[in-house]
Amino acid sequence: MIGGLFIYNHKGEVLISRVYRDDIGRNAVDAFRVNVIHARQQVRSPVTNIARTSFFHVKRSNIWLAVVTKQNVNAAMVFEFLYKMCDVMASYFGKISEENIKNNFVLIYELLDEILDFGYPQNSETGSLKTFITQQGIKGQHQTKEEQSQITSQVTGQIGWRREGIKYRRNELFLDVLESVNLLMSPQGQVLSAHVSGRVVMKSYLSGMPECKFGMNDKIIIDKAGKGGVTNEAGKSTSGKQSIAIDDCTFNQCVRLSKFDSERSISFIPPDGEYELMRYRTTKDIILPFRVIPLVREVGRTKLEVKVVIKSNFKPSLLAQKIEVRIPTPLNTSGVQVICMKGKAKYKASENAIVWKIKRMAGMKESQISAEIELLPTNDKKKWARPPISMNFEVPFAPSGLKVRYLKVFESKLNYSDHDVIKWVRYIGRSGIYETRC
Amino acid sequence: MVCSVSICAGEIFELKAELNSDKKEKKKEAVKKVIASMTVGKDVSALFPDVVNCMQTDNLELKKLVYLYLMNYAKSQPDMAIMAVNTFVKDCEDANPLIRALAVRTMGCIRVDKITEYLCEPLRKCLKDEDPYVRKTAAVCVAKLHDINAQLVEDQGFLDTLKDLISDSNPMVVANAVAALSEIAESHPNSNLLDLNPQSINKLLTALNECTEWGQIFILDCLANYTPRDDRESQSICERVTPRLSHANSAVVLSAVKVLMKFMEMLPKDLDYYSTLLKKLAPPLVTLLSAEPELQYVALRNINLIVQKRPEILKHEMKVFFVKYNDPIYVKLEKLDIMIRLASQANIAQVLAELKEYATEVDVDFVRKAVRAIGRCAIKVEQSAERCVSTLLDLIQTKVNYVVQEAIVVIKDIFRKYPNKYESVIATLCENLDSLDEPEARAAMIWIVGEYAERIDNADELLESFLEGFHDESTQVQLQLLTAIVKLFLKKPTETQELVQQVLSLATQDSDNPDLRDRGYIYWRLLSTDPVAAKEVVLAEKPLISEETDLIEPTLLEELICHIGTLASVYHKPPSAFVEGSRGVMHKRLPARTGSGESTESPDVGAAGGSAPEAAPSIIPSQGDLLGDLLNLDMAPPTTSGPPPPSTGMQMGGMDLLGGGLDSLVGISHSVDPYAMGAGFGAAPAVMPASLNAPVGGGLGDLFDLGGVGMPMGAYIPPKIVWLPAMKAKGLEISGTFARRAGVIQMELILTNKAMSVMTDFAIQFNRNSFGLAPAGPLQVLTPLGPNQTIEVSLPLSTVGPVMKMDPLNNLQVAVKNNIDVFYFSCQYPISMLFVEDGKMERQVFLATWKDIPNDNESQFQIKDCHLNSDAASSKLQGSNIFTIAKRTVEGQDMLYMSIKLSNGIWVLAELRVQAGNPNYTISLKCRAPEVSQCVFQCYEAVLKN
């Protein structure tokens, strides 16, 4: 199991050190600093073995978090734990920075004591942690016995993510479908790989212990319903693509997995506040919101001509936002001249790229940029590696075609019904790694 | 740098004053300062009494800080730590469950022997606490205490309490109890602590649905250690574990994959459920690749194992392993590895286009690997070879030094795979001769020149140019140069006499390297005594090279599959290679499928054997022999990462190398072949020194490998082991075991054809043996055995054959014939298959016989670590035709009297003494033929322990 956890600043100074196992000595702290943080070459693996001691590390801005162990631990669990630890810290004091960690070190120790016991991860739900790790020390004494047992039963209980007795005057639900569309395209416009990884994020402000059921246009469900004789003619005619094939999905721990496995229905008792209900991945019939057409011509040894066309490929009534095209330039670039029809374009020498920004763009439009790149003559034999052109954008629909069909709320004990809950649904498609080779 | 950060006396003094202040706030601030100093490694142990004084507080935050300090320094101040005991005891009775849990959690971390005894009572109470939060904390505390003082935990009966917690109503308590028990069990490999049976498994599976994500991981990891009784149980567990594949936590997913991969072994392949399960595994594995990069890395290392074990799962998922420009380098390299493994005719065009792209990237390691991958594709997919070669030529034209060198190394392999096909490119290669500065590339180039000496006009000049700096070259290049010049001489004797003399004298007289000298002398003598023979040896046709490389040796792969998700799977090393002490030393194995042998399906590692220390990164001949090694194998630099060999005893009888078995078959007693002997010694060190393994490493490693597979005595029906490896039998691999089913002795064989041609006309014959075993019918292999096919045969045996006493008694020498040749091997059978069904003696007869047999014939043995009670043992033994005649209990000791009858009428009488609570049994055997006693005892042990 986990033997200890250290947090370092970018210089390698220890900010937090908590050792759980006797086989981890103080020298482990230094071993990691010397061999990883101060290593001459960039470390090539997130797992490092130094003198039969294994170190797992992640970096958040310039803070290093390292788990150390001498045993054959579950490596996936260690990383999941590290990410979780970052989430918990962030929800307590915001950004993970040296200053914040120093200011909150007592809190962090308290959290580490609670979240890990003898190196075994315990409860790590921020919601329930916040009920008893408060940094107002005295709270423990003012709680009634009832409150105390409520805390412990929640921490250890089957529904560790929600406490009893939540009340809202207005029962409200916000549902965001957030997708990132990833693309790798050849210079000839052939899709080499494309997938959408999506998340359904919810903010629920519901009273009591509501039972929820979430439905979307999952192909398997729709096909099943179709076979069952309940054909929905109206649904078919409205849009050409009414159901989507989901390659795989994972759920928040509140979702009953066995029920999904047997009936493919998504039912759960939601945590209070914001949480991620599910993640999914699709690869079929993806709407690629933009197409990038690159043209790079080398004119002699000291000049490059670049022309890039982008085409938007969605309903004209919709608007894409925050469009940014990044065109890499060679290292020996001496000067760049750009002309673009729309938006603003700039050569950023420090990033070795031309960055072209467009605030808004409607569907079924196209725009173009052309640039002349002057090169310094070099005697470097190696050719320029031509990194791909990457793109960023945000569109108000789900590129996978996912649609929320329903989200039903049942709370039998309190007297509000599904109709009384105010629900908001929003779709946002963003670019993930959206690259076109040139 | 331990505690080197000094703290000045003034600071200590100041803190001391603050700690003893009356004001609570000031106290707290002072403790905070102390902890802050502690964190950065300053020694603040001098403040121990002052800090402990702050412990008696009703401020929870302050209390936690003091506890933190205590955990750090208690060990260095054991006497003062006792001061804290009272507070712990008191806190364990606090009304607030959070405080009770805090106390029990902390006191387990005070690693002071003197204190532990005081903590037992509070812990006992907490284990039975009404609040689940306290119970789950107490469960972990048992593991902590066990780590400090294992004996104390056992004596206090905490282990039983812990076992009871597995049935707790709260899922988190169950999960922590499972975690604690698994950890304790790991340090007692043979104990029966985690007594997993269908009932307890059911409880775990129920808790699995309800506990936290971390708890699910503990439970799944524990489940993976269980071996289901039959395929039905294994299927029902799989069904209940599958939903975990959709969990958001990747570790839960990977642990579930581990359970499924393991239990799948037991499912019959024709089952519908089996293929459904296979299909269900792919999507979650792909999803892991959209996690954060560190997790992706862990996932990819595991996928690498899964792809080797079951390539069918991900064969259609090539695209997801395409490298993204912004992937961290560790993810890129791993993805590339998997791409090569998944490359097939169906996707080769896409893969090649990608690889070509990667070869222009920035990172040197990545580019090299991409170039190498192109070569691998050429060898793996014949249709693509031409395209690959032209791609490689394009890359050579870039003149980027490391790309050129890498390309030459892989082109050498392509030449070996497709001889006489792409020689036209040699000219281009020769142009780059001067730019080669890495030994591997130089050696590859020299090999090419030597191999095609007759077509390269100036081969002698080229080789001569290398000869100038002979002593500065690495061994690999020297060996290769020697061989290449000898080849050249054999092809063009007239012009190169001088050259060959020069190199031979350089190698034999001027070199300190024994390998080089030895090889030099061999060539010299060959050339001087019999040039024709020399030609036959040196220019012999080379064995084909296999398509897959870098495969993990099958037994290691099986072990690693059992460790999916853990560090072992990331390092691709067994836990014993990086874990100290007793933990993790136990080797895990996949369960055997009932009725078929998984082992024969294992990827063809052929001759050189994965565990051979040289584990060639580029080429492993699929059918090498010692000669082949001499000629070709020094291409591979010895890698240091060879897995440590399994430490099971060697079995000399099973390793007839050069026909020793033939002699014994015609009646001469079996002699241990000197080569086998040598192998035994040579393989002893875990990693052979580099200089030793070049010429014969492959052969030796393989021999050793065979020895490590394990004695057939392991179980009542022992697991199948390889009796005849493919390299000894021109591609025929035989593995098998013995069983007694319904009174008939059966030899169960798996024949695998690992050669390129079809095998037919199988027949089998036994040498005379101790109990007259002989085939009762012909070997039923009706259809010809095609390349890469496997067939299972069950051969009924009779015991009426000719008898000759063997040593060991249960040794059996076998000859198997097919259309290619006759092969010999020897194996050992468990004597229990000779125990007949009517072996139950009458009581009176037993008594009389027992007295009748002289006491000199009695032998006593100990069976260690057996946890069955006498009744269970008796019924288990009965299954193997060992009959209990009477049972007597004297002073808490059970005495079982048993009888056995062997197929040749020999009676064996036994007295088994079992003392309750003592895992060591004593057994006395009496028999008129005392030589069988040893074998019978081995059977007892095998039956009782399986």
Side-chain angles (χ1 to χ4, degrees):
Chain A
M1 278 307 115
I2 293 173
L5 185 135
F6 307 131
I7 303 181
Y8 302 84
N9 66 7
H10 68 286
K11 284 186 269 180
E13 292 163 353
V14 209
L15 305 177
I16 297 285
S17 114
R18 175 75 161 92
V19 172
Y20 294 93
R21 294 277 172 148
D22 202 34
D23 52 4
I24 304 300
R26 181 81 201 174
N27 49 0
V29 178
D30 303 319
F32 183 77
R33 174 186 26 245
V34 172
N35 290 292
V36 180
I37 302 183
H38 291 170
R40 228 170 277 151
Q41 284 164 332
Q42 195 200 350
V43 188
R44 308 207 120 209
S45 158
V47 185
T48 326
N49 193 321
I50 307 162
R52 283 168 97 80
T53 308
S54 299
F55 294 85
F56 299 75
H57 73 263
V58 300
K59 250 187 120 175
R60 288 289 179 270
S61 60
N62 53 14
I63 297 294
W64 298 75
L65 289 99
V67 156
V68 50
T69 182
K70 283 205 164 185
Q71 296 171 28
N72 183 27
V73 292
N74 188 321
M77 184 188 80
V78 171
F79 282 122
E80 284 284 2
F81 167 77
L82 278 170
Y83 303 143
K84 198 73 183 204
M85 186 66 207
C86 292
D87 290 349
V88 171
M89 288 197 291
S91 81
Y92 265 96
F93 52 75
K95 194 172 171 273
I96 295 175
S97 65
E98 183 171 351
E99 202 190 344
N100 277 344
I101 287 173
K102 279 185 169 164
N103 289 338
N104 289 286
F105 86 95
V106 176
L107 166 75
I108 295 174
Y109 277 125
E110 206 174 326
L111 286 170
L112 283 175
D113 197 41
E114 185 60 40
I115 301 181
L116 276 181
D117 191 3
F118 204 36
Y120 291 103
Q122 302 291 310
N123 173 48
S124 55
E125 285 306 307
T126 336
S128 58
L129 283 172
K130 277 187 174 167
T131 59
F132 66 103
I133 295 187
T134 52
Q135 278 304 286
Q136 284 149 21
I138 15 169
K139 197 180 171 185
Q141 275 63 50
H142 296 294
Q143 287 161 339
T144 63
K145 203 165 177 200
E146 230 166 75
E147 278 172 340
Q148 287 163 2
S149 72
Q150 204 184 332
I151 290 172
T152 57
S153 80
Q154 194 204 335
V155 173
T156 59
Q158 295 186 15
I159 307 164
W161 54 87
R162 187 179 181 92
R163 65 192 166 88
E164 303 248 6
I166 298 172
K167 280 211 178 73
Y168 288 102
R169 252 187 344 150
R170 219 157 82 125
N171 288 302
E172 231 174 340
L173 253 183
F174 297 86
L175 205 152
D176 285 350
V177 176
L178 305 175
E179 294 197 337
S180 73
V181 51
N182 297 278
L183 169 76
L184 183 62
M185 196 177 248
S186 75
Q188 292 76 33
Q190 187 193 5
V191 176
L192 295 172
S193 77
H195 75 272
V196 167
S197 55
R199 309 184 307 145
V200 177
V201 175
M202 282 200 178
K203 267 182 233 155
S204 61
Y205 304 105
L206 301 169
S207 313
M209 284 295 217
E211 177 74 46
C212 297
K213 208 173 162 184
F214 175 69
M216 54 190 178
N217 56 342
D218 178 359
K219 193 159 189 271
I220 296 176
I221 298 260
I222 305 268
D223 289 357
K224 229 197 253 170
K227 268 181 210 147
V230 200
T231 41
N232 189 346
E233 289 299 330
K236 252 178 207 166
S237 55
T238 46
S239 72
K241 198 176 101 181
Q242 62 149 350
S243 65
I244 61 161
I246 290 177
D247 288 29
D248 188 36
C249 44
T250 60
F251 296 100
N252 185 287
Q253 58 169 322
C254 66
V255 175
R256 295 189 185 86
L257 294 180
S258 40
K259 204 148 184 193
F260 179 74
D261 196 54
S262 56
E263 303 163 24
R264 223 177 154 84
S265 76
I266 303 166
S267 63
F268 55 99
I269 295 174
D272 196 40
E274 186 171 338
Y275 58 98
E276 184 182 286
L277 178 68
M278 70 177 283
R279 280 176 187 237
Y280 56 90
R281 182 170 47 83
T282 72
T283 46
K284 290 199 187 71
D285 304 322
I286 294 169
I287 308 161
L288 295 171
F290 284 96
R291 165 95 204 269
V292 177
I293 305 157
L295 200 76
V296 180
R297 210 160 64 92
E298 285 171 42
V299 188
R301 290 189 55 118
T302 57
K303 206 168 151 193
L304 271 180
E305 277 181 15
V306 180
K307 199 173 104 180
V308 177
V309 180
I310 59 168
K311 284 185 181 169
S312 59
N313 175 32
F314 44 89
K315 272 190 225 155
S317 57
L318 298 175
L319 273 181
Q321 290 185 327
K322 300 178 191 166
I323 302 148
E324 184 185 295
V325 182
R326 186 170 281 266
I327 304 161
T329 55
L331 295 174
N332 55 337
T333 301
S334 61
V336 176
Q337 280 163 335
V338 248
I339 311 158
C340 57
M341 291 156 43
K342 236 184 144 190
K344 281 179 191 158
K346 232 189 220 165
Y347 166 62
K348 295 199 172 163
S350 59
E351 295 166 39
N352 287 312
I354 300 167
V355 180
W356 177 25
K357 287 184 178 166
I358 304 170
K359 276 200 184 122
R360 261 175 232 98
M361 188 164 168
M364 307 315 268
K365 288 266 170 29
E366 79 173 64
S367 189
Q368 188 187 333
I369 184 171
S370 42
E372 275 188 21
I373 303 171
E374 306 272 347
L375 302 176
L376 291 170
T378 58
N379 32 6
D380 193 0
K381 259 195 230 159
K382 201 164 171 259
K383 262 175 61 185
W384 176 46
R386 282 204 190 183
I389 296 174
S390 59
M391 209 182 157
N392 287 318
F393 54 79
E394 199 179 291
V395 289
F397 60 90
S400 69
L402 182 128
K403 291 258 160 32
V404 176
R405 285 170 60 220
Y406 56 80
L407 190 114
K408 292 177 194 153
V409 182
F410 310 94
E411 167 53 273
S412 46
K413 287 187 195 139
L414 301 173
N415 55 348
Y416 69 93
S417 74
D418 186 38
H419 302 289
D420 305 328
V421 181
I422 307 158
K423 298 169 194 167
W424 307 85
V425 181
R426 178 163 71 152
Y427 298 91
I428 300 174
R430 293 202 181 95
S431 52
I433 294 167
Y434 205 84
E435 293 178 338
T436 307
R437 288 182 180 154
C438 60
Chain B
M1 280 181 73
V2 187
C3 293
S4 64
V5 194
S6 59
I7 180 163
C8 66
E11 211 174 325
I12 291 271
F13 185 76
E14 221 166 85
L15 283 170
K16 220 174 185 124
E18 283 176 46
L19 284 170
N20 291 316
S21 151
D22 295 333
K23 285 182 194 144
K24 272 188 187 169
E25 266 317 296
K26 209 161 190 187
K27 246 185 191 175
K28 198 164 111 183
E29 283 311 308
V31 178
K32 275 191 189 176
K33 280 185 206 161
V34 173
I35 301 288
S37 307
M38 196 176 86
T39 299
V40 294
K42 288 183 188 170
D43 184 8
V44 283
S45 59
L47 295 165
F48 200 89
D50 308 276
V51 177
V52 172
N53 270 339
C54 303
M55 193 168 160
Q56 296 261 14
T57 171
D58 46 5
N59 184 316
L60 199 54
E61 194 191 344
L62 180 56
K63 189 168 238 158
K64 284 184 180 171
L65 287 173
V66 175
Y67 280 176
L68 192 61
Y69 179 89
L70 258 179
M71 289 188 257
N72 241 346
Y73 288 115
K75 223 173 143 186
S76 57
Q77 312 257 341
D79 295 324
M80 294 215 245
I82 293 192
M83 290 162 51
V85 169
N86 258 335
T87 320
F88 283 131
V89 176
K90 216 175 94 201
D91 279 0
C92 279
E93 316 237 320
D94 197 284
N96 186 342
L98 291 171
I99 304 235
R100 291 204 295 276
L102 178 64
V104 81
R105 186 164 66 216
T106 312
M107 75 193 194
C109 301
I110 312 281
R111 303 184 57 92
V112 177
D113 238 350
K114 279 187 208 160
I115 295 191
T116 45
E117 283 170 41
Y118 297 100
L119 303 178
C120 290
E121 274 324 298
L123 176 58
R124 199 186 315 280
K125 265 184 212 149
C126 288
L127 279 167
K128 304 231 158 100
D129 199 286
E130 50 170 18
D131 196 297
Y133 184 75
V134 181
R135 288 203 301 277
K136 72 116 184 159
T137 315
V140 178
C141 188
V142 175
K144 292 179 188 169
L145 204 56
H146 186 271
D147 194 37
I148 307 170
N149 190 342
Q151 196 56 45
L152 182 75
V153 170
E154 279 169 46
D155 295 345
Q156 294 276 338
F158 284 140
L159 295 183
D160 293 322
T161 325
L162 201 52
K163 274 192 215 168
D164 293 342
L165 287 183
I166 290 199
S167 317
D168 199 282
S169 58
N170 185 294
M172 195 154 174
V173 178
V174 179
N176 275 3
V178 166
L181 275 174
S182 306
E183 176 166 342
I184 295 172
E186 233 176 84
S187 51
H188 291 282
N190 292 320
S191 69
N192 218 12
L193 250 188
L194 263 174
D195 178 27
L196 295 175
N197 52 47
Q199 290 79 36
S200 60
I201 290 292
N202 197 27
K203 278 177 204 154
L204 293 186
L205 286 168
T206 313
L208 183 62
N209 284 325
E210 294 162 351
C211 61
T212 64
E213 44 194 331
W214 314 114
Q216 297 187 15
I217 299 169
F218 308 152
I219 292 180
L220 287 169
D221 284 351
C222 172
L223 269 181
N225 291 326
Y226 175 64
T227 310
R229 298 187 170 176
D230 50 26
D231 50 344
R232 213 177 302 153
E233 190 188 0
S234 131
Q235 177 175 347
S236 82
I237 296 177
C238 286
E239 278 166 358
R240 292 178 70 179
V241 166
T242 335
R244 298 298 119 198
L245 293 175
S246 323
H247 202 285
N249 188 314
S250 315
V252 175
V253 176
L254 269 178
S255 291
V257 169
K258 165 165 59 190
V259 174
L260 295 174
M261 283 292 286
K262 199 176 162 193
F263 289 7
M264 229 159 121
E265 289 292 309
M266 296 189 64
L267 299 176
K269 279 197 164 172
D270 44 356
L271 201 68
D272 282 346
Y273 181 70
Y274 177 85
S275 44
T276 327
L277 194 55
L278 272 185
K279 268 186 219 135
K280 277 193 176 165
L281 276 173
L285 286 173
V286 174
T287 298
L288 291 177
L289 298 184
S290 39
E292 289 84 348
E294 292 89 3
L295 263 176
Q296 275 187 52
Y297 174 71
V298 173
L300 285 164
R301 293 292 283 174
N302 279 288
I303 289 173
N304 199 327
L305 297 173
I306 293 168
V307 165
Q308 288 183 56
K309 182 75 194 159
R310 298 194 177 276
E312 63 270 33
I313 295 178
L314 287 166
K315 65 179 175 206
H316 299 303
E317 302 289 349
M318 173 60 93
K319 274 190 177 179
V320 299
F321 297 103
F322 283 0
V323 171
K324 293 183 186 128
Y325 189 73
N326 290 324
D327 280 338
I329 182 68
Y330 51 84
V331 169
K332 283 186 178 172
L333 292 172
E334 292 305 317
K335 279 187 174 171
L336 195 50
D337 237 2
I338 295 168
M339 279 174 70
I340 306 171
R341 293 205 196 284
L342 290 178
S344 68
Q345 200 182 332
N347 55 28
I348 195 73
Q350 261 184 331
V351 173
L352 261 184
E354 282 294 306
L355 291 176
K356 203 173 168 184
E357 199 71 40
Y358 302 160
T360 61
E361 279 231 30
V362 191
D363 191 282
V364 176
D365 283 347
F366 181 60
V367 171
R368 278 173 179 273
K369 202 162 184 167
V371 175
R372 214 164 257 234
I374 297 174
R376 294 312 310 165
C377 288
I379 290 164
K380 205 171 165 187
V381 186
E382 189 162 358
Q383 292 79 0
S384 75
E386 189 132 14
R387 231 174 329 157
C388 294
V389 171
S390 74
T391 310
L392 286 171
L393 282 179
D394 286 350
L395 290 172
I396 288 177
Q397 299 302 351
T398 63
K399 303 273 178 200
V400 179
N401 187 291
Y402 54 84
V403 173
V404 174
Q405 309 211 37
E406 208 61 45
I408 286 180
V409 173
V410 291
I411 285 180
K412 173 210 68 185
D413 294 350
I414 297 177
F415 281 172
R416 278 203 53 196
K417 170 83 178 178
Y418 309 108
N420 307 320
K421 209 165 166 195
Y422 299 111
E423 280 72 39
S424 52
V425 308
I426 291 178
T428 324
L429 300 186
C430 288
E431 286 167 20
N432 294 288
L433 218 54
D434 300 332
S435 64
L436 307 180
D437 51 14
E438 290 160 25
E440 205 185 346
R442 286 175 83 85
M445 193 64 219
I446 293 168
W447 182 87
I448 293 172
V449 175
E451 191 63 19
Y452 296 100
E454 68 272 30
R455 305 194 206 171
I456 305 173
D457 292 335
N458 59 345
D460 48 343
E461 282 170 36
L462 293 175
L463 291 177
E464 202 171 355
S465 70
F466 281 106
L467 209 52
E468 281 162 18
F470 189 76
H471 289 298
D472 302 328
E473 301 281 4
S474 72
T475 313
Q476 188 187 7
V477 180
Q478 289 175 337
L479 286 168
Q480 202 50 61
L481 196 53
L482 174 61
T483 305
I485 291 179
V486 172
K487 280 188 202 163
L488 172 71
F489 171 71
L490 289 168
K491 288 174 179 173
K492 300 181 183 171
T494 45
E495 308 130 57
T496 56
Q497 202 146 10
E498 209 171 305
L499 194 62
V500 82
Q501 296 228 311
Q502 204 182 336
V503 77
L504 285 175
S505 84
L506 277 172
T508 53
Q509 284 156 24
D510 303 341
S511 170
D512 297 332
N513 185 325
D515 289 340
L516 189 61
R517 268 206 317 258
D518 284 357
R519 187 180 292 195
Y521 280 126
I522 289 177
Y523 283 143
W524 203 324
R525 274 176 213 153
L526 261 176
L527 292 174
S528 54
T529 47
D530 189 351
V532 182
K535 211 163 190 166
E536 269 172 30
V537 171
V538 180
L539 301 180
E541 204 172 307
K542 267 157 284 304
L544 281 178
I545 60 174
S546 79
E547 293 171 357
E548 298 286 346
T549 46
D550 297 343
L551 284 174
I552 294 173
E553 187 259 332
T555 45
L556 177 63
L557 180 63
E558 290 208 346
E559 191 179 349
L560 292 179
I561 291 284
C562 299
H563 287 294
I564 282 178
T566 68
L567 258 184
S569 71
V570 174
Y571 292 146
H572 289 185
K573 283 179 191 166
S576 50
F578 60 90
V579 174
E580 281 168 359
S582 60
R583 279 201 183 103
V585 178
M586 228 187 339
H587 289 273
K588 295 190 182 180
R589 300 204 60 173
L590 290 176
R593 186 181 313 143
T594 30
S596 78
E598 185 59 28
S599 59
T600 49
E601 266 187 18
S602 51
D604 179 10
V605 208
S611 87
E614 47 148 47
S618 54
I619 274 186
I620 298 175
S622 64
Q623 214 191 346
D625 48 18
L626 292 180
L627 286 181
D629 285 346
L630 261 180
L631 289 173
N632 296 304
L633 275 185
D634 40 313
M635 285 302 176
T639 49
T640 46
S641 62
S647 53
T648 334
M650 302 266 292
Q651 196 190 338
M652 286 306 189
M655 289 191 294
D656 278 347
L657 226 199
L658 301 175
L662 181 65
D663 299 341
S664 49
L665 260 176
V666 289
I668 306 167
S669 72
H670 177 70
S671 63
V672 174
D673 190 278
Y675 271 87
M677 205 62 181
F681 295 127
V687 175
M688 277 191 253
S691 58
L692 240 170
N693 69 42
V696 278
L700 292 185
D702 199 48
L703 271 174
F704 187 74
D705 212 21
L706 172 70
V709 177
M711 304 266 290
M713 284 311 227
Y716 166 51
I717 296 181
K720 290 196 175 70
I721 61 160
V722 177
W723 282 332
L724 182 68
M727 77 167 284
K728 308 266 168 43
K730 306 195 174 161
L732 174 67
E733 188 191 77
I734 301 182
S735 57
T737 185
F738 292 94
R740 187 183 181 94
R741 296 187 203 281
V744 181
I745 305 168
Q746 280 174 329
M747 186 181 194
E748 297 181 341
L749 294 163
I750 297 176
L751 309 177
T752 309
N753 181 354
K754 292 191 171 173
M756 303 310 288
S757 57
V758 175
M759 293 180 181
T760 54
D761 304 328
F762 285 93
I764 194 165
Q765 210 179 342
F766 293 176
N767 197 1
R768 282 192 277 175
N769 55 68
S770 317
F771 293 95
L773 283 174
L779 190 63
Q780 299 282 336
V781 185
L782 300 176
T783 47
L785 194 57
N788 274 326
Q789 267 185 356
T790 292
I791 190 168
E792 288 187 42
V793 202
S794 186
L795 180 72
L797 306 181
S798 69
T799 50
V800 294
V803 175
M804 187 184 80
K805 198 176 152 194
M806 300 293 295
D807 188 22
L809 207 63
N810 56 346
N811 197 21
L812 180 66
Q813 295 174 335
V814 183
V816 170
K817 181 183 94 73
N818 65 8
N819 59 329
I820 297 169
D821 208 336
V822 184
F823 310 106
Y824 305 98
F825 63 89
S826 68
C827 54
Q828 293 185 357
Y829 48 88
I831 205 166
S832 60
M833 66 170 195
L834 298 169
F835 298 172
V836 293
E837 276 71 15
D838 59 347
K840 186 157 184 170
M841 224 177 217
E842 290 292 330
R843 272 179 175 229
Q844 273 74 21
V845 185
F846 182 89
L847 260 166
T849 321
W850 184 270
K851 281 184 191 149
D852 199 16
I853 299 175
N855 277 344
D856 292 350
N857 281 11
E858 183 173 348
S859 32
Q860 262 202 7
F861 301 94
Q862 287 268 331
I863 301 177
K864 292 211 169 78
D865 283 320
C866 189
H867 292 274
L868 300 165
N869 64 24
S870 58
D871 289 344
S874 158
S875 66
K876 211 165 182 183
L877 290 167
Q878 175 128 19
S880 309
N881 294 338
I882 302 174
F883 298 95
T884 307
I885 297 166
K887 178 181 164 184
R888 207 148 60 100
T889 308
V890 182
E891 291 166 4
Q893 194 176 32
D894 287 343
M895 322 259 266
L896 300 172
Y897 295 96
M898 310 178 177
S899 70
I900 300 163
K901 189 182 168 189
L902 291 173
S903 56
N904 56 357
I906 295 180
W907 285 90
V908 183
L909 309 185
E911 180 200 54
L912 185 68
R913 268 171 288 174
V914 182
Q915 188 139 30
N918 182 355
N920 296 350
Y921 294 179
T922 312
I923 183 167
S924 309
L925 294 173
K926 262 192 168 185
C927 179
R928 288 191 205 279
E931 46 281 65
V932 300
S933 297
Q934 181 66 32
C935 287
V936 172
F937 158 66
Q938 285 169 5
C939 286
Y940 263 95
E941 195 161 46
V943 172
L944 286 173
K945 290 199 175 166
N946 283 287

